[in-house]
Amino acid sequence: MDVLAVKQACKFAKEHALKNGPIILEMDTYRYHGHSMSDPGSTYRTCDEISGVRQERDPVERVRKLVLSHDLATEKELKDMEKEIRKQVDEGIAQAKESPMPEPSELFSNVYAKGLGVE
């Protein structure tokens, strides 16, 4: 839930993996919704809990506040970025829906990098 901590941990993990091999990172995150359509996620936690986490620990909102407090961007610039990102995501979804399913032979393409022990 802390973008900067994740960035630092990933940098460490990359350096470790390149020198010593695989490493596991555990991420402590919070699910705002249930596991599935049959699990709304509201039977085992209150709406106040979910709202509180969203207000206090939401990673996107934390970065937004950090960017604004350090004058790295204006509110308008952030809104414009969000709008552009949403457009790109919508275009990507449309392209994926229109594209044919990949061939089964492509299942493991680009899963491993050559030269790292798994070919």
Side-chain angles (χ1 to χ4, degrees):
M1 299 292 279
D2 182 336
V3 176
L4 299 178
V6 170
K7 180 182 181 203
Q8 186 176 3
C10 288
K11 180 181 177 189
F12 171 84
K14 176 185 175 185
E15 291 169 2
H16 179 291
L18 291 173
K19 292 177 185 170
N20 306 306
I23 186 170
I24 294 175
L25 294 177
E26 179 181 9
M27 302 292 169
D28 179 22
T29 62
Y30 188 87
R31 243 182 325 95
Y32 295 122
H33 305 285
H35 289 88
S36 65
M37 295 287 288
S38 62
D39 171 24
S42 57
T43 56
Y44 45 87
R45 54 193 178 170
T46 66
C47 289
D48 288 342
E49 175 191 336
I50 296 167
S51 177
V53 171
R54 191 179 293 272
Q55 289 176 353
E56 299 296 322
R57 294 181 53 212
D58 183 79
V60 175
E61 192 56 34
R62 288 173 75 176
V63 169
R64 172 186 287 284
K65 288 176 183 174
L66 189 65
V67 166
L68 291 171
S69 70
H70 286 85
D71 295 322
L72 299 173
T74 66
E75 187 71 43
K76 183 187 180 320
E77 289 171 325
L78 293 179
K79 284 187 187 288
D80 289 346
M81 281 186 232
E82 263 185 54
K83 189 175 180 181
E84 177 59 27
I85 290 166
R86 287 184 195 279
K87 178 183 168 200
Q88 291 176 13
V89 168
D90 289 343
E91 289 170 355
I93 290 170
Q95 180 185 0
K97 286 181 176 180
E98 294 167 2
S99 298
M101 291 295 288
E103 294 297 321
S105 62
E106 290 294 314
L107 183 62
F108 294 104
S109 292
N110 302 314
V111 174
Y112 297 106
K114 292 188 185 272
L116 295 180
V118 181
E119 307 301 332

